[in-house]
Amino acid sequence: MADPIDFYFDFASPYGYFASLRIDELARAHGCRVTWHPILLGAIFKVTGMKPNLEQPLRGEYLSHDVGRIARLIGAPFTLPDSAPVNGVAASRAFYWLADDQPEQAKALARALYHAHFAEGRDIGPADTVAEIAVQALAGAVGDRAAVLAALGNPTVKDRLRAETEQAVARGVFGSPFVLVGNEPFWGWDRLDMVDRWLSNGGW
Amino acid sequence: MADPIDFYFDFASPYGYFASLRIDELARAHGCRVTWHPILLGAIFKVTGMKPNLEQPLRGEYLSHDVGRIARLIGAPFTLPDSAPVNGVAASRAFYWLADDQPEQAKALARALYHAHFAEGRDIGPADTVAEIAVQALAGAVGDRAAVLAALGNPTVKDRLRAETEQAVARGVFGSPFVLVGNEPFWGWDRLDMVDRWLSNGGW
């Protein structure tokens, strides 16, 4: 049985968005199971001393140019939202609310949130917006907006996001996207081809 | 005529070393001229607020693992030197001493210095070591060790390294390796395949 894949990403990360468009297909080609893990890089940057890419002189300008270039290359709908880097707390909590009981619905929601943000340019920071997207994307499966908003304030859901982010740090995750194949770490959208090769060869 | 390539690197950068093993061949396949530019990332980090990768928690450990993995993948001799991250001032000055009048010798010296550091694990920080490697790699072309050491203290050579680093910042360079195809920027060893594709397609 192939090693399972853990796919870590921050909803604020355009490179995480690009990776989300490919990771499941890549895993399927190798018979691997993928578990998605939204995390909060802001909390991880307190450990590493890094800053959001967009806020770094030179690197921020490079990123703004690079993401449009990648979108054209892979044919992904894309805009760099005015709200970037967005606060991914509400989006991530909505994901974990569903993750255990309805993992496919949770992935569908993550895709819908990423699409709203990076394809449509919407600000997915506000809980209201996340609730609206969840109701629309998942139809009856999540109840109405009030049900989603209640879930986002649920202490269990809040603790889960904190625990997932801590667990990510414990496994060495420091950026987005970050892919673990078993315990083999790959940082960055740039490395998906390497992940593919690693899975083909069983490492090297 | 294809756009010229500017290849920026720091002698302390293992990813710069990996890129140095491929950049000329990649350019030749597209009929491009490559100009090599050693720079000092330490000076650039003062502009960007970044820190050496190796000194960042989590990222440093990832890098230590990643570079060995890349070396195995591309079949490059490699060790992570005890002296990493090395001070590349003397090595860079030696390069610029030769760059205008003997550009091929300058490249040969850069390759020899990178090899000494990342294949043999030698500390290429001390001027004495740089002089020894220069005399050995370039034989009679650079005179004896005393001639090299004198060149490393030459104000014109020192100014040139400073000017090249400032020019790199002005062009948006913030890491190593960093490749400019005309003015199109590509950061990272991971992006050499993208550079190849960019040159094949004339952009996209």
Side-chain angles (χ1 to χ4, degrees), chain A residues 103-140:
Chain A
E104 288 310 310
Q105 297 278 34
K107 276 192 194 183
L109 174 59
R111 287 193 193 95
L113 288 162
Y114 253 152
H115 186 83
H117 190 52
F118 285 117
E120 299 171 358
R122 290 177 72 184
D123 180 358
I124 59 165
D128 275 344
T129 308
V130 170
E132 186 183 319
I133 293 168
V135 170
Q136 195 169 22
L138 307 179

Side-chain angles (χ1 to χ4, degrees), chain A residues 45-97:
Chain A
F45 289 160
K46 286 180 189 156
V47 177
T48 60
M50 294 170 75
K51 284 190 296 184
N53 297 339
L54 267 178
E55 294 174 10
Q56 292 176 25
L58 305 184
R59 191 170 174 185
E61 293 151 49
Y62 175 80
L63 181 143
S64 301
H65 175 74
D66 187 44
V67 288
R69 176 172 67 184
I70 291 174
R72 293 195 305 278
L73 179 65
I74 66 176
F78 184 76
T79 184
L80 194 56
D82 294 337
S83 50
V86 77
N87 181 331
V89 170
S92 303
R93 286 182 184 165
F95 177 91
Y96 285 119
W97 168 47

Side-chain angles (χ1 to χ4, degrees), chain A residues 15 44 47-51 55-60 62-63 65-66 68-70 72-73 168-170 172-174 178 184-191 193-194 197-198 201 204, chain B residues 15 44 47-51 55-60 62-63 65-66 68-70 72-73 168-170 172-174 178 184-191 193-194 197-198 201 204:
Chain A
Y15 297 106
I44 295 179
V47 177
T48 60
M50 294 170 75
K51 284 190 296 184
E55 294 174 10
Q56 292 176 25
L58 305 184
R59 191 170 174 185
Y62 175 80
L63 181 143
H65 175 74
D66 187 44
R69 176 172 67 184
I70 291 174
R72 293 195 305 278
L73 179 65
V169 169
V173 173
F174 59 88
F178 204 103
E184 187 70 20
F186 299 89
W187 169 47
W189 170 82
D190 326 61
R191 293 298 184 89
D193 286 344
M194 188 181 274
R197 198 155 167 174
W198 186 269
N201 297 359
W204 59 76
Chain B
Y15 298 106
I44 295 179
V47 177
T48 60
M50 293 169 77
K51 285 190 295 185
E55 295 174 11
Q56 293 175 26
L58 304 185
R59 192 169 174 184
Y62 175 79
L63 181 143
H65 174 74
D66 187 44
R69 176 171 67 183
I70 291 173
R72 293 196 305 277
L73 178 65
V169 169
V173 173
F174 59 88
F178 204 103
E184 186 70 20
F186 298 88
W187 170 47
W189 170 82
D190 326 60
R191 292 299 184 91
D193 286 343
M194 188 182 273
R197 198 155 168 176
W198 187 269
N201 297 0
W204 59 77

Side-chain angles (χ1 to χ4, degrees), chain A residues 152-204:
Chain A
L152 297 186
N154 182 322
T156 306
V157 167
K158 293 161 81 167
D159 287 348
R160 173 67 177 274
L161 173 56
R162 208 164 12 236
E164 288 275 356
T165 299
E166 283 168 10
Q167 171 76 356
V169 169
R171 299 190 72 191
V173 173
F174 59 88
S176 167
F178 204 103
V179 171
L180 288 163
V181 179
N183 286 313
E184 187 70 20
F186 299 89
W187 169 47
W189 170 82
D190 326 61
R191 293 298 184 89
L192 291 184
D193 286 344
M194 188 181 274
V195 171
D196 193 26
R197 198 155 167 174
W198 186 269
L199 288 165
S200 293
N201 297 359
W204 59 76

Side-chain angles (χ1 to χ4, degrees), chain B:
Chain B
M1 179 63 190
D3 278 330
I5 292 178
D6 289 290
F7 169 51
Y8 289 90
F9 61 97
D10 187 311
F11 277 108
S13 163
Y15 298 106
Y17 163 64
F18 296 136
S20 78
L21 301 174
R22 182 175 171 197
I23 190 70
D24 276 21
E25 184 191 334
L26 193 162
R28 197 160 37 235
H30 297 285
C32 299
R33 208 166 57 84
V34 188
T35 306
W36 289 32
H37 305 265
I39 50 170
L40 299 178
L41 279 184
I44 295 179
F45 289 159
K46 288 181 188 156
V47 177
T48 60
M50 293 169 77
K51 285 190 295 185
N53 296 340
L54 266 179
E55 295 174 11
Q56 293 175 26
L58 304 185
R59 192 169 174 184
E61 292 150 49
Y62 175 79
L63 181 143
S64 300
H65 174 74
D66 187 44
V67 290
R69 176 171 67 183
I70 291 173
R72 293 196 305 277
L73 178 65
I74 66 177
F78 184 76
T79 185
L80 194 55
D82 294 335
S83 50
V86 77
N87 182 330
V89 169
S92 303
R93 285 182 185 163
F95 178 91
Y96 285 118
W97 168 48
L98 301 170
D100 292 335
D101 295 338
Q102 305 181 71
E104 288 311 311
Q105 298 277 34
K107 277 192 196 184
L109 174 59
R111 286 193 194 95
L113 288 162
Y114 254 152
H115 185 85
H117 190 51
F118 285 116
E120 298 171 358
R122 291 177 70 183
D123 179 358
I124 60 166
D128 274 343
T129 308
V130 170
E132 185 183 319
I133 293 168
V135 169
Q136 195 168 22
L138 307 179
V142 297
D144 60 9
R145 287 169 60 130
V148 182
L149 287 172
L152 297 186
N154 183 321
T156 306
V157 167
K158 293 161 81 166
D159 288 347
R160 173 68 176 275
L161 173 56
R162 206 161 15 233
E164 289 274 355
T165 299
E166 284 167 10
Q167 170 77 357
V169 169
R171 298 190 72 190
V173 173
F174 59 88
S176 167
F178 204 103
V179 170
L180 286 163
V181 178
N183 286 313
E184 186 70 20
F186 298 88
W187 170 47
W189 170 82
D190 326 60
R191 292 299 184 91
L192 291 183
D193 286 343
M194 188 182 273
V195 170
D196 194 26
R197 198 155 168 176
W198 187 269
L199 289 164
S200 293
N201 297 0
W204 59 77

